[in-house]
Amino acid sequence: MFIMSIRQLEPDVAAKIAAGEVVERPASVVKELIENSIDAGSTQIRVDLAHGGLQLIRVTDNGCGIAADELPLALARHATSKVTQIDDLEHIRSLGFRGEALASIAAVAEVTLLSRQKDAAQGAQIGAANGQLSAVTTAASPEGTTMTVRNLFSAVPARLKFLKSRNTEVSHCHHLLEQYALAYPEIRFSVFSDGRQIFATPGDGQLASVLVEVYGLQVADQMVSVASEQQGDAGEQPVVSGYVSRPNCYKSTRQHISFFVNRRWVLSRMLTAAVEGAYHSLLLTGRHPIAVINIQLDPALLDVNVHPAKTEIRFLKERRVFAAILRAVRAALLEEPQMPQWKPREALEAPTGQKEERRAEEDATPVPEHTRDQPLQGSVQQDELLAGKSVDPQQTRRLPHLRVIGQLAQSYIVTEGEQGMYLIDQHAAHERILLERMVATLKARTPMSQLLLTPLELELAPSELEAIEEHMPQLESIGFTLEIAEDQKLLVRAVPSVLVKQMNAHSLHELLLETTAPESLGHTETWEERALANVACKAAIKANYFLTVSEMREMIEQLEQTRAPYSCCHGRPTMIHFTLPALAHEFERR
Ligand code: ADP
Ligand code: MG
């Protein structure tokens, strides 16, 4: 075997290796630099990139600046103005604390640090290349700091190899800057790539304004504000605020769910699961919300020092944070439900450019039903609606007064209301009604079970029986009484009461398999949620089923009692609104 003797690394080699932890790609440099600008109290931050940041990254801020004699220290490893002793980390408020970012960047690029403190007569500058510092010289500078990073990784070919195309690196930087802009609406950000402005925020302190810049007016219009009951100073209980998209506005990935904990951008599966959990039965699987969630928490309940880039944190009371987010987001979504609306094709195809004015009748309309499969895009202007005023759900009727006109194809209920025609999917509507009834029963711990006069016998495969055996207590909790007989048959003695009318051996078999299949659980829902949705689906009246007018009326009345009347258990719409203007337009009456 080939054996090498151990030796101390040359300082510049050690520094380059250490830098790898912090500086992975241009976006990591941008992150460290703007965090420093934010920590310095800046209200304006400008970022310039050339060739995806590999040629040049320059961050200019109007923060507190650095004293001329401290410039060499700023570039030195483990030199920071933010922490003096280890206990400081317990109540850290600044984004930086390790004092190694600038040193790491200087190890893998050529940097120039130019700065002037507020009352200083003149500015000063220092340079570093390959870890070697130049002397400090006086230089003209506006108040604040300008950090220029050139030829990133040119001396670290191994790292250079792993970088993606220029555009990919720009989009990483862009995404990151959007996140910081969302976290700091009071800071005016402007970002240029090869001389062209690619992103800017007004810095007016309104999260809503940044939402418009990041996601466009159409999406921003569909966001509702989130606020936990607990507001004000964060103590033991986390304070949650922000915006989330209505269920009719979604993306195909989870990338548009952002979290800021004490104004630090963090990535967390746990937090993402909490937000997505709040959309349970409101959003189809494979669709993901857009969300910006701020969490304020006593810093003593956090460990921010678990990740080199500080994008992961540890919560001391994780369940509490999870519950607070779930509750706040769910409340926001149920407070302002929106009925899906049908719109004529032409209106959909109207181009939505930047800063487009919206037409009056489009006020607060959600995404039209037949564009739902395309995630929203585009970037337009902000609107006053946007503030998402809270509505007392007790006081507002959830459905308009609807007159039943008749049944269509024995599947849809055709109704009219003051604002036009409302088409209701009888199966989806009934599913929603049954689901909420069962959830309420489960919560109240009242029996939801109905004993069968003669037990039903099901023949199952051994693996199916095994899965059912494993879930026995859970199945009991939702109303089943099951027994495995000697001959490996399953005896069904009782079922959830909603099932009694619609039950047959085949659908019962299917239901039991669905609820006990190992892959049936999405990561945001509990077993009971999933199972009850399945039960509701089986128990609900189907399409092609005749309903009398009074049955239809009763169904509408019951639907109105539900908390989320516009979507079924799986997030599909229960009803679609055809507005009078839309109909008039379609018949070319105007
Ligand atoms: P950290 O942010 O962890 O303290 P850095 O290496 O990022 O470490 O920065 C070192 C120090 O340089 C900071 O503590 C701060 O005092 C100073 N500094 C860096 N950037 C700026 C800036 N844009 N404005 C003012 N001071 C800065
Ligand atoms: Mg820093």
Side-chain angles (χ1 to χ4, degrees):
M1 200 165 75
F2 182 71
I3 297 180
M4 258 171 68
S5 53
I6 301 174
R7 67 194 116 168
Q8 196 76 45
L9 287 174
E10 291 298 319
D12 72 307
V13 179
K16 283 201 177 80
I17 291 174
E21 289 234 306
V22 183
V23 190
E24 194 189 339
R25 62 191 331 157
S28 14
V29 174
V30 173
K31 175 177 189 294
E32 294 299 336
L33 299 188
I34 61 170
E35 286 195 349
N36 282 344
S37 298
I38 293 169
D39 282 345
S42 310
T43 56
Q44 286 180 36
I45 300 176
R46 176 185 164 128
V47 179
D48 285 276
L49 305 170
H51 200 85
L54 287 173
Q55 216 168 66
L56 172 112
I57 298 169
R58 176 178 289 138
V59 174
T60 311
D61 69 44
N62 65 350
C64 65
I66 306 171
D69 59 345
E70 289 185 359
L71 285 176
L73 261 184
L75 294 180
R77 196 162 289 280
H78 306 305
T80 176
S81 55
K82 299 166 194 175
V83 173
T84 47
Q85 41 198 336
I86 191 68
D87 294 349
D88 292 348
L89 280 189
E90 288 258 321
H91 39 83
I92 192 89
R93 289 279 173 195
S94 59
L95 295 171
F97 50 78
R98 291 217 183 97
E100 60 184 9
L102 295 192
S104 295
I105 296 166
V108 290
E110 295 147 32
V111 305
T112 314
L113 182 55
L114 169 70
S115 193
R116 180 155 76 94
Q117 283 190 306
K118 205 170 179 57
D119 297 317
Q122 52 191 352
Q125 171 172 316
I126 190 172
N130 279 314
Q132 296 296 314
L133 295 192
S134 70
V136 176
T137 55
T138 59
S141 167
E143 270 173 24
T145 303
T146 302
M147 174 85 175
T148 308
V149 178
R150 285 199 170 81
N151 301 326
L152 182 65
F153 300 137
S154 59
V156 197
R159 177 68 58 154
L160 216 46
K161 259 202 314 234
F162 284 101
L163 291 179
K164 301 280 190 281
S165 74
R166 192 196 72 125
N167 283 346
T168 309
E169 296 307 328
V170 170
S171 74
H172 276 286
C173 295
H174 190 163
H175 181 69
L176 176 108
L177 285 156
E178 285 177 345
Q179 302 304 312
Y180 279 85
L182 289 167
Y184 295 88
E186 74 279 23
I187 297 180
R188 204 161 100 196
F189 285 90
S190 57
V191 184
F192 294 80
S193 171
D194 293 325
R196 195 171 62 86
Q197 189 172 65
I198 56 170
F199 179 61
T201 62
D204 61 4
Q206 303 296 317
L207 174 53
S209 311
V210 185
L211 276 178
V212 172
E213 297 304 330
V214 174
Y215 290 117
L217 179 62
Q218 270 196 319
V219 170
D221 218 22
Q222 292 306 321
M223 306 279 285
V224 289
S225 68
V226 172
S228 53
E229 279 162 27
Q230 169 104 9
Q231 286 292 324
D233 263 355
E236 285 267 292
Q237 286 300 330
V239 175
V240 180
S241 64
Y243 283 89
V244 294
S245 57
R246 292 198 171 101
N248 53 1
C249 174
Y250 52 83
K251 299 269 188 182
S252 54
T253 67
R254 297 198 174 85
Q255 269 174 32
H256 308 277
I257 306 176
S258 315
F259 297 100
F260 308 102
V261 177
N262 291 348
R263 311 199 83 192
R264 179 188 302 282
W265 177 41
V266 299
L267 305 172
S268 157
R269 275 166 179 245
M270 186 274 287
L271 299 179
T272 305
V275 168
E276 295 215 293
Y279 282 81
H280 178 70
S281 87
L282 300 176
L283 206 56
L284 281 172
T285 38
R287 296 179 175 179
H288 304 282
I290 300 161
V292 177
I293 302 286
N294 289 300
I295 301 148
Q296 292 291 329
L297 195 61
D298 180 349
L301 297 175
L302 286 177
D303 186 355
V304 291
N305 196 19
V306 292
H307 187 263
K310 297 166 291 185
T311 48
E312 281 167 31
I313 53 171
R314 215 174 278 143
F315 295 98
L316 227 56
K317 306 250 156 78
E318 196 171 271
R319 291 300 311 171
R320 202 178 274 182
V321 180
F322 184 94
I325 294 177
L326 185 83
R327 212 175 305 130
V329 174
R330 188 77 180 168
L333 292 175
L334 293 182
E335 222 164 61
E336 283 192 84
Q338 286 241 321
M339 195 187 306
Q341 216 161 91
W342 178 85
K343 264 199 240 164
R345 183 149 300 275
E346 220 177 282
L348 297 173
E349 285 164 1
T352 50
Q354 290 262 332
K355 317 274 168 197
E356 190 203 34
E357 292 294 331
R358 291 176 340 123
R359 278 184 290 159
E361 76 269 17
E362 283 179 359
D363 268 7
T365 55
V367 195
E369 162 59 3
H370 55 285
T371 54
R372 291 165 150 250
D373 287 329
Q374 296 131 32
L376 283 171
Q377 279 169 355
S379 144
V380 216
Q381 213 177 29
Q382 120 153 70
D383 193 290
E384 310 272 325
L385 277 165
L386 202 68
K389 281 189 219 80
S390 71
V391 179
D392 180 355
Q394 301 303 324
Q395 281 179 11
T396 47
R397 281 182 63 85
R398 291 185 166 255
L399 297 183
H401 289 283
L402 297 178
R403 187 176 74 80
V404 172
I405 296 174
Q407 197 184 18
L408 173 73
Q410 300 203 347
S411 303
Y412 302 99
I413 305 172
V414 186
T415 71
E416 89 169 322
E418 217 169 280
Q419 310 284 330
M421 177 169 75
Y422 301 77
L423 210 52
I424 300 171
D425 178 325
Q426 64 191 39
H427 173 71
H430 198 207
E431 233 183 73
R432 164 57 61 187
I433 294 165
L434 294 180
L435 176 72
E436 296 209 5
R437 202 182 288 161
M438 284 188 291
V439 170
T441 324
L442 191 70
K443 275 202 186 132
R445 296 181 195 285
T446 49
M448 50 159 80
S449 187
Q450 173 83 49
L451 213 60
L452 303 179
L453 285 178
T454 40
L456 224 108
E457 259 186 31
L458 298 180
E459 285 206 44
L460 301 180
S463 64
E464 296 173 351
L465 270 180
E466 211 169 280
I468 288 173
E469 213 172 354
E470 261 170 41
H471 288 87
M472 208 59 114
Q474 288 162 302
L475 288 165
E476 267 168 25
S477 76
I478 62 165
F480 283 102
T481 307
L482 307 169
E483 195 183 307
I484 297 176
E486 297 276 291
D487 52 358
Q488 294 292 297
K489 280 199 177 122
L490 186 75
L491 290 185
V492 183
R493 296 195 176 279
V495 296
S497 31
V498 297
L499 273 177
V500 170
K501 275 192 207 151
Q502 299 282 325
M503 211 193 35
N504 62 52
H506 176 72
S507 70
L508 199 59
H509 186 174
E510 236 179 45
L511 176 65
L512 287 170
L513 295 192
E514 276 166 15
T515 48
T516 57
E519 71 277 16
S520 73
L521 198 59
H523 78 282
T524 57
E525 52 190 359
T526 63
W527 185 88
E528 281 80 5
E529 282 171 337
R530 176 78 184 196
L532 291 184
N534 277 325
V535 173
C537 183
K538 285 284 178 309
I541 54 154
K542 304 282 176 299
N544 294 311
Y545 182 88
F546 175 78
L547 292 175
T548 64
V549 170
S550 61
E551 282 171 334
M552 291 189 270
R553 272 201 211 113
E554 170 149 3
M555 184 175 300
I556 293 168
E557 247 166 55
Q558 290 177 358
L559 185 61
E560 175 152 31
Q561 312 288 320
T562 62
R563 287 178 48 83
Y566 303 135
S567 58
C568 78
C569 312
H570 308 99
R572 284 191 292 270
T574 55
M575 54 163 56
I576 296 170
H577 178 194
F578 294 71
T579 66
L580 290 174
L583 290 172
H585 184 270
E586 197 71 342
F587 285 104
E588 300 185 23
R589 290 172 70 98
R590 46 163 203 132

